[in-house]
Amino acid sequence: MKCKKCGKKAVANLRAYRISLCADCYVEFYKRLVERSIKKYKILSKEEQILLAVSGGKDSSAMASVLKEIGFEFEMLYIDLGIGDYSRDSKQKVEELSDLLKVRLNIVELKDYGFTIPQARGRVCSVCGTAKRYIMNRFARENGFDVVATGHTAEDIASFYLKNIAGNQQAFAEKLLPRIEPFDAKVVARARPLFEISEKENMLYAILKKLPFKSGECLYAPKPDWKEIVYDIELKKPGFVKNFVRGLTVEVKKPSETRYCSICGEIASGDICSFCKIRSKFSKSF
Ligand code: AMP
Ligand code: FES
Ligand code: ZN
């Protein structure tokens, strides 16, 4: 198999684009892909203060490296959820990434809020999602950032959409957009620079660039049923995932009234925000 661009030995066969590329041409191809997508959806601008949420996984490591390559300036944030070896190894990877890219890394520990993920009971993953969203938004606002970027991929978006449609849930639109503008001064904009990019593309870039990243799922992650369905469709219909996310037309409705948590002052849907509800359940210091 030869590279379609330069004729050297190909390392990647991109079925969605029907091309094979060598290592160097692939890295260039990936950079252009992300750059084009950011421009097309106006996901990020070089004038704003950007905070990148990095987990130590391949997607957010690839996002940090490629954004640096295409000339964005940013800081990174890692949230230590206190999940034993998993959190320790992930933290080590983001520290290596920070050294490699020469980008400042901020670390917030969930235990400073009085609990860790293994101490949470019930739907642990939803507790974890709430905690991460809360900390990302609060840290970004308190430290003067305009936008938080996460490494959500096209597969994340497509599987989330299918799962919600199947569960007959409608209130999910904002999770499906490449960028969400704030509806209140306490909320920071959210961006997904890899909205249109697939996990395989991120993985290949991360490997070819020798980026530090951790493989393996968190102990508490739910079964990836919907992700597997998305992978299966992509296998049978190459290009499905990209076409799917490009075809999404969702509208975000602003909440009819903005409320603030009576405990911490952050945005809330009732009297107390979901993070403080969780803290009141699990934190000894609350
Ligand atoms: P996940 O929710 O694990 O699928 O991760 C989606 C995105 O959220 C990642 O690509 C990161 O940008 C961000 N993220 C996940 N876990 C963390 C973490 N512990 N610290 C900071 N950002 C994270
Ligand atoms: Fe959140 Fe595993 S990383 S529950
Ligand atoms: Zn609160």
Side-chain angles (χ1 to χ4, degrees), residues 112-129:
D112 292 342
Y113 285 97
F115 71 105
T116 60
I117 289 300
Q119 287 162 354
R121 294 169 303 276
R123 292 176 59 223
V124 174
C125 213
S126 109
V127 170
C128 170

Side-chain angles (χ1 to χ4, degrees), residues 50-258:
I50 303 169
L51 180 68
L52 238 61
V54 286
S55 64
K58 63 182 188 322
D59 302 313
S60 49
S61 288
M63 167 175 74
S65 165
V66 74
L67 287 183
K68 180 99 202 265
E69 294 260 341
I70 56 185
F72 281 92
E73 284 187 21
F74 53 86
E75 287 187 20
M76 303 194 291
L77 169 69
Y78 173 69
I79 302 165
D80 187 335
L81 301 156
I83 312 176
D85 289 351
Y86 177 80
S87 292
R88 211 183 28 249
D89 295 350
S90 307
K91 186 163 124 191
Q92 195 188 327
K93 296 297 177 195
V94 291
E95 283 169 344
E96 287 171 25
L97 185 70
S98 156
D99 289 344
L100 180 77
L101 302 179
K102 299 189 175 51
V103 169
R104 184 185 157 84
L105 172 67
N106 303 278
I107 298 181
V108 173
E109 303 204 10
L110 183 61
K111 78 168 161 32
D112 292 342
Y113 285 97
F115 71 105
T116 60
I117 289 300
Q119 287 162 354
R121 294 169 303 276
R123 292 176 59 223
V124 174
C125 213
S126 109
V127 170
C128 170
T130 301
K132 285 192 287 200
R133 279 191 299 277
Y134 181 95
I135 292 172
M136 280 176 201
N137 185 67
R138 189 165 168 180
F139 181 89
R141 191 192 66 242
E142 290 179 348
N143 291 282
F145 292 95
D146 302 310
V147 57
V148 179
T150 53
H152 287 99
T153 63
E155 286 91 343
D156 288 328
I157 311 283
S159 57
F160 188 79
Y161 185 87
L162 293 177
K163 182 177 167 204
N164 278 276
I165 289 284
N168 199 20
Q169 281 185 34
Q170 302 299 317
F172 56 78
E174 68 161 39
K175 287 209 171 182
L176 300 165
L177 292 169
R179 171 145 182 150
I180 308 145
E181 295 305 335
F183 57 87
D184 185 87
K186 288 219 155 176
V187 181
V188 172
R190 298 287 295 267
R192 302 191 176 108
L194 307 181
F195 170 83
E196 247 187 3
I197 315 296
S198 81
E199 289 174 6
K200 185 180 156 192
E201 288 159 356
N202 298 334
M203 173 68 102
L204 200 53
Y205 178 82
I207 291 173
L208 294 175
K209 294 283 285 183
K210 299 191 172 59
L211 301 177
F213 68 89
K214 181 179 166 12
S215 1
E217 276 291 328
C218 154
L219 207 72
Y220 302 100
K223 267 180 66 192
D225 297 347
W226 288 100
K227 269 277 178 76
E228 281 167 9
I229 290 169
V230 167
Y231 297 148
D232 282 352
I233 306 178
E234 179 69 28
L235 205 63
K236 292 202 174 91
K237 298 279 170 204
F240 158 78
V241 180
K242 279 177 192 279
N243 289 332
F244 190 96
V245 294
R246 284 177 189 144
L248 284 176
T249 46
V250 290
E251 226 181 286
V252 179
K253 290 195 193 83
K254 285 185 188 167
S256 49
E257 61 164 333
T258 312

Side-chain angles (χ1 to χ4, degrees), residues 27-43:
V27 166
E28 276 311 304
F29 173 84
Y30 179 87
K31 267 168 34 187
R32 297 285 90 83
L33 211 59
V34 177
E35 199 172 22
R36 265 208 318 267
S37 183
I38 290 175
K39 277 204 184 115
K40 176 170 147 197
Y41 297 104
K42 300 189 175 62
I43 301 178

